């Protein structure tokens, strides 16, 4: 399904490709890949064995329908940045991209994902965003409203690849590398409690909920990536503990 994070296992020594992209395969055959919001109806997975044999699997991808979310009341400079702000945004985007594109041998992703905070879901994966009446890119994470200062915890074990206190759009932001191109991103933090290079365990406090960057109230924007492909945290982590609370207005 669009938005899914898929774990697979091949024989040790096999080579695995998703389309033309080679996937990292662990010594025991573990691999992972994401299916994007707008993935095509079919994908091709190719496995080449150590003896040269090739197996091909056609993956039929179920389509999803995504809601439209309107967010009003944002400062104009955060919706239509000026030239100076755009230069800053480009530089910050390069740092975020570098964190997302790490391809380490870590396998923390295989442990599964916990919700980093429990609260009210105010924005869902894939929603088309209209900001102050202007269409913008789809939202590719989950927004969780919670009181400012609520602890934010690592969703899975890994290594901190980004810890920025003041990004233009994301505000305080942490990224964690879970291996094989899988990372989690935590934005709008009011505090950051980890540094780049720190190894974190699942459930370890990494920061606190805030409303920094482009935000209309205290919340966490939580994302799961496989390189450039964002996947749906609900698909990876399952239902929020206790059922969470229902979706209200977007943030």
């Amino acid at each position: 399904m669009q938005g899914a994070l898929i774990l697979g296992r091949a024989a040790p020594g096999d080579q695995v490709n998703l389309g033309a992209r080679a996937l990292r395969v662990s010594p025991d055959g573990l691999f992972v890949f994401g299916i994007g919001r707008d993935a095509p109806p079919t994908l091709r997975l190719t496995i080449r064995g150590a003896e040269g044999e090739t197996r091909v699997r056609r993956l039929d991808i179920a389509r999803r329908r995504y809601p439209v979310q309107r967010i009003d009341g944002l400062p104009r400079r955060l919706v239509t940045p000026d030239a100076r702000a755009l230069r800053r945004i480009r530089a910050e985007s390069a740092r975020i991209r570098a964190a997302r594109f790490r391809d380490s041998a870590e396998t923390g992703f295989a442990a599964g994902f916990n919700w980093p905070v429990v609260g009210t879901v105010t924005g869902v994966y894939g929603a088309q965003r209209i900001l102050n009446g202007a269409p913008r890119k789809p939202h590719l994470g989950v927004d969780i409203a919670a009181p400012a200062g609520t602890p934010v915890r690592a969703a899975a074990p890994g290594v901190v690849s980004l810890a920025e206190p003041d990004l233009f759009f994301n505000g305080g932001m942490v990224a964690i590398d879970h291996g094989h191109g899988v990372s989690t991103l935590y934005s709008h933090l009011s505090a950051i409690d980890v540094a780049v290079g720190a190894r974190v365990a699942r459930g370890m406090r990494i920061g606190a909920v805030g409303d920094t960057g482009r935000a209309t109230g205290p919340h966490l924007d939580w994302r799961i990536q496989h390189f450039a492909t964002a996947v749906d945290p609900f698909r990876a982590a399952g239902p929020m503990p206790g059922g969470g609370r229902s979706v209200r207005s977007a943030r």
Side-chain angles (χ1 to χ4, degrees), residues 93-218:
S93 295
R95 298 201 295 273
I96 296 170
R97 178 182 173 85
R100 288 200 338 248
F101 274 73
R102 285 176 55 141
D103 186 13
S104 72
E106 300 281 334
T107 56
F109 65 87
F113 297 87
N114 287 357
W115 285 85
V117 70
V118 173
T120 301
V121 174
T122 58
V124 294
Y125 172 88
Q128 175 62 55
R129 285 282 172 89
I130 299 178
L131 307 182
N132 291 358
R136 290 294 186 264
K137 293 179 180 179
H139 184 56
L140 295 177
V142 170
D143 288 337
I144 310 159
T150 301
V152 174
R153 304 187 183 279
V159 176
V160 177
S161 55
L162 184 78
E164 293 280 350
D166 182 28
L167 298 178
F168 187 85
F169 285 135
N170 301 83
M173 183 180 184
V174 168
I176 301 175
D177 170 25
H178 305 288
H180 291 222
V182 177
S183 59
T184 51
L185 287 70
Y186 312 76
S187 295
H188 309 301
L189 302 174
S190 61
I192 294 175
D193 300 324
V194 290
V196 171
R199 183 170 293 278
V200 297
R202 187 209 308 268
M204 177 177 168
R205 176 174 170 144
I206 60 171
V209 170
D211 60 355
T212 57
R214 188 164 70 184
T216 58

Side-chain angles (χ1 to χ4, degrees), residues 212-236:
T212 57
R214 188 164 70 184
T216 58
H219 74 287
L220 175 71
D221 179 339
W222 180 42
R223 305 190 182 203
I224 303 178
Q225 301 272 157
H226 179 245
F227 297 110
T229 300
V231 301
D232 188 348
F234 270 102
R235 295 282 167 185

